[in-house]
Amino acid sequence: MSSRQTGSKVSAVMLGYSDGPIDHADDTDPLACRLGGHPLWLDETSAVPDHSSGICANCSQQMTLLIQAYVPLEDSAYDRVIYVWACNRRACAGRSGAAKVVRGHLLNKEYALKLVKRKRSAYSKDKSKPAVAVKPNGAALQLDFGSVWRTGGEEGSAEASGDKDTAGFLSGGSLFAGPLFSGSGSGPLFGGQSASAEQQKAAEAAKKQSMEEKELADKMDMLGMSEQPEEIKERVEWPDIPENVPSQYLEFDGEQLSDGQIDDRYRDQIKQAIDMAAEASGKPQKAKASASTSANDEEWSDEKYEHSTRPKGTDVGFERFARVVSQNPEQVIRYQFGGEPLLYTMQDPAAQQLGIKQSNADESDESDDDEEEELAEPDSRAATKKSMLQRHGYSTKQLPRCEHCNGQRVFECQLMPALLTVLPLAENVKPLVSDSINNTSSAADRERLVGSQLLKTVDLGLEFGTMMIFVCENDCHGGKTGTDYLGKSAASMSRFGAAAYYEELVLVQMETHLD
């Protein structure tokens, strides 16, 4: 993404789309968002992730890079890149260790200095108080022209008020001996030194002291007295491997949702899922037809099913998934740091790991009617109302915490099924006979396989419903958070200039949950 995303609060949903192939000669920028290809590391000298990050934990084969996305955060001093790999063998799909994600960090000194300056400015505003002009003796500075022209017969005369200078003038003294033009050094107009000059001297002295303290702090930073430098690790390059799929540009745009219209390509899937649930429960499914559909019309139009007639076993998560995705069916990635994933199903182990209780996963309540409004107007509802997922128990507190800072993990992005058609995965993987079929007793046994049994012997490549990425909420740098540890100068920040990589968490939901 070209702009930094808000890390301190939930950002808007951004959708990623394929934007055409990248010429091999131009495929060199690690901060470009891209699909497929080889991983491009953040610099040419720092240590890179261990090669095991790209190896499937099940078949021990090299995995395919699906996405490399530049996703900087507003409050982070680092350029951030997310790398996602997955095994392109159907037999491994959905299994633990068959998909992995790495978060890359490279210090952006220019932006880091801006963050330091912004923090100093905010601190100064908090500490500053309105300046009041004062006399050297501490009294408030006032110009009282009336004291010059007062006469002894008026109320508040010079004698009565104790103004000796004015009294002297009225008794025959010179006008220029009065308080405005005193040459004694205390007169505010033509006197020797005014209060403002004293203030200026004090301000200059404070500024000089502040500069000296800053120089001392910078010297201490350079000497490494405030924070130990990072451990320098040896760079071990990954072996040369053939490119699985050609790289493509990845472009992001804000999600636009309208009235919940469902794309035709998803109608049959949703209807099939609901009908199967109805059949399993033994309850006939009654649909509330829309105004545009006649009673005899069998077309499954844009009607909403009554919650009271929704059979037990209906996956409300998949209904929501289909309704939202159908409005932007070409999306290959959804991005919302600190937001909520769009669950493919609420009835699988991944959903349960996110707090969705099985007793709630196949039921909906009256408040789910507001889901379309919630999606259309997230800003106006997020602060005052629980989301549909939260009402069903959604939470990331059960997920493994960051191993570096012990911070909670939060949702950042998810890969969508359209990626499977955008990237020619099946075309770039050699069909393999499955291990179980290889172990059959004879070739005759294999020849007798037909239909779905035969289909299972052919490796058609990666398959999933969605892949959800969860990362450290603090976006920590090896356990360090914030910017204070960086110091206040470019020289002190150089100690943290090497790129660093941290493995994060992937949860996969499979399309086969509908089988």
Side-chain angles (χ1 to χ4, degrees), residues 91-376:
C92 297
R95 299 176 66 181
S96 177
K100 297 181 182 179
V101 59
V102 166
R103 170 173 58 95
H105 261 191
L106 181 64
L107 182 66
N108 185 326
K109 289 184 183 178
E110 183 179 352
Y111 191 75
L113 290 170
K114 287 183 180 180
L115 289 178
V116 170
K117 184 177 180 181
R118 185 191 304 169
K119 188 173 181 179
R120 282 179 177 173
S121 178
Y123 179 79
S124 299
K125 287 180 180 179
D126 290 339
K127 291 293 183 181
S128 63
K129 295 181 179 179
V132 178
V134 295
K135 286 184 179 181
N137 61 7
L141 178 63
Q142 295 179 334
L143 297 181
D144 186 2
F145 287 94
S147 66
V148 178
W149 307 114
R150 286 194 187 102
T151 62
E154 295 179 339
E155 184 181 357
S157 65
E159 289 84 353
S161 64
D163 191 337
K164 296 180 180 179
D165 290 321
T166 307
F169 165 72
L170 293 175
S171 63
S174 169
L175 169 65
F176 296 98
L180 292 180
F181 308 98
S182 172
S184 64
S186 60
L189 291 186
F190 300 120
Q193 279 192 337
S194 66
S196 60
E198 291 290 339
Q199 286 181 298
Q200 185 175 358
K201 277 189 174 182
E204 289 177 352
K207 183 178 180 181
K208 182 178 179 181
Q209 182 180 359
S210 176
M211 291 178 64
E212 289 174 349
E213 290 175 352
K214 178 180 178 300
E215 289 177 3
L216 178 60
D218 290 342
K219 288 178 181 178
M220 292 176 66
D221 285 340
M222 292 176 66
L223 292 172
M225 296 173 66
S226 61
E227 185 76 36
Q228 292 298 319
E230 289 186 306
E231 177 186 356
I232 300 177
K233 298 180 181 179
E234 182 183 358
R235 184 182 181 101
V236 179
E237 298 288 356
W238 286 24
D240 231 357
I241 53 175
E243 188 174 75
N244 283 316
V245 290
S247 53
Q248 303 178 30
Y249 289 106
L250 174 63
E251 292 293 331
F252 283 89
D253 195 9
E255 182 178 38
Q256 300 292 328
L257 295 174
S258 54
D259 57 358
Q261 297 286 314
I262 300 177
D263 190 277
D264 287 338
R265 75 185 73 186
Y266 292 100
R267 294 183 190 280
D268 291 340
Q269 291 187 44
I270 300 176
K271 187 175 186 298
Q272 179 185 6
I274 294 177
D275 288 345
M276 288 173 62
E279 183 179 346
S281 64
K283 297 179 181 179
Q285 177 62 39
K286 297 180 181 179
K288 179 183 176 181
S290 65
S292 62
T293 305
S294 64
N296 296 325
D297 192 349
E298 294 183 359
E299 178 184 1
W300 195 68
S301 187
D302 296 316
E303 69 263 15
K304 292 182 180 178
Y305 283 85
E306 295 281 5
H307 291 299
S308 59
T309 62
R310 213 186 232 125
K312 185 177 182 180
T314 299
D315 190 343
V316 294
F318 180 71
E319 285 189 50
R320 178 177 183 261
F321 183 92
R323 184 171 70 250
V324 174
V325 174
S326 67
Q327 297 192 48
N328 300 281
E330 296 178 353
Q331 59 183 285
V332 297
I333 181 174
R334 295 175 64 85
Y335 186 92
Q336 188 186 31
F337 185 92
E340 293 180 351
L342 185 63
L343 294 184
Y344 191 82
T345 174
M346 294 173 67
Q347 300 177 344
D348 73 342
Q352 294 175 35
Q353 196 171 352
L354 291 170
I356 306 297
K357 297 178 176 59
Q358 190 61 39
S359 58
N360 296 332
D362 55 2
E363 299 175 1
S364 59
D365 52 54
E366 295 298 328
S367 56
D368 287 344
D369 282 331
D370 297 331
E371 180 64 16
E372 290 177 12
E373 296 179 21
E374 176 185 301
L375 291 167

Side-chain angles (χ1 to χ4, degrees), residues 36-37 52-59 61-68 83-90 92-102 238 241 244-245 415 419-420 423 425 429 461-464 466-469 506-508 510:
S52 61
S53 297
I55 298 297
C56 176
N58 301 283
C59 66
Q61 298 300 308
Q62 175 67 47
M63 295 192 290
T64 299
L65 179 68
L66 300 179
I67 279 184
Q68 176 173 340
Y83 303 84
V84 182
W85 289 270
C87 183
N88 199 20
R89 293 189 64 196
R90 182 64 59 91
C92 297
R95 299 176 66 181
S96 177
K100 297 181 182 179
V101 59
V102 166
W238 286 24
I241 53 175
N244 283 316
V245 290
L415 308 190
L419 184 66
L420 299 174
L423 292 179
L425 296 170
V429 176
L462 180 63
E463 180 263 342
F464 63 85
T466 188
M467 286 188 185
M468 301 172 288
I469 311 301
V506 187
L507 293 183
V508 180
M510 299 298 291

Side-chain angles (χ1 to χ4, degrees), residues 379-391:
D379 294 336
S380 63
R381 294 177 174 266
T384 59
K385 190 173 183 179
K386 285 186 177 181
S387 68
M388 187 271 275
L389 282 185
Q390 289 172 339
R391 291 194 295 271

